[in-house]
Amino acid sequence: MFNFKNLSGLSQLMMNAGSITERVQQMRQNLSEEVATGSAAEGAIHIEVTGAGEVRKLLIHASLIEHGATDQLEQLLPQAINEALAKVRQMHISKVRELTGGIDLPGLDDLLKS
């Protein structure tokens, strides 16, 4: 369903299309400097991922390694990584909303979450 309240915002966005490239580049730069975290096993695994999706740090508590708990690590690592990546996706949604001046673009959340 089309939402007419976004029409003026959309026309404003189109008039500013020339500066959008610069704003997207700035958004990417800002995202690369932001960090999202994820953890599992009550912090025994901790991961930091930049807003650009690059893993900055991965910490694994020695107790998980000492016990040779590879099965447990194989389950816990994806949990921590997915938690951090979900936060990165939320960062992206927030930044795109800033870029569009808060215009509600139908399907934006679904597009960035897939």
Side-chain angles (χ1 to χ4, degrees):
M1 183 172 152
F2 185 75
N3 186 346
F4 286 102
K5 76 177 186 176
N6 289 333
L7 191 57
S8 65
L10 187 56
S11 66
Q12 184 68 26
L13 185 63
M14 296 304 290
M15 290 189 322
N16 294 328
S19 68
I20 288 178
T21 301
E22 291 175 18
R23 292 168 59 192
V24 167
Q25 289 173 343
Q26 183 63 44
M27 179 184 78
R28 285 183 178 157
Q29 178 63 36
N30 291 343
L31 283 168
S32 70
E33 295 169 1
E34 292 188 35
V35 175
T37 62
S39 63
E42 299 176 5
I45 294 178
H46 178 83
I47 187 166
E48 294 180 2
V49 178
T50 68
E54 296 178 0
V55 175
R56 176 185 278 178
K57 185 183 289 187
L58 174 63
L59 301 171
I60 301 173
H61 193 274
S63 64
L64 292 175
I65 297 170
E66 290 169 357
H67 293 92
T70 56
D71 289 345
Q72 188 178 13
L73 281 173
E74 289 171 354
Q75 292 174 358
L76 295 172
L77 282 170
Q79 288 177 12
I81 292 167
N82 288 333
E83 180 181 317
L85 292 177
K87 291 176 183 178
V88 167
R89 285 189 290 276
Q90 283 305 122
M91 281 183 199
H92 284 235
I93 290 169
S94 175
K95 293 291 184 186
V96 169
R97 284 202 174 116
E98 283 178 30
L99 182 70
T100 62
I103 297 172
D104 184 25
L105 299 174
L108 174 64
D109 290 358
D110 293 335
L111 176 67
L112 293 175
K113 288 181 181 177
S114 53

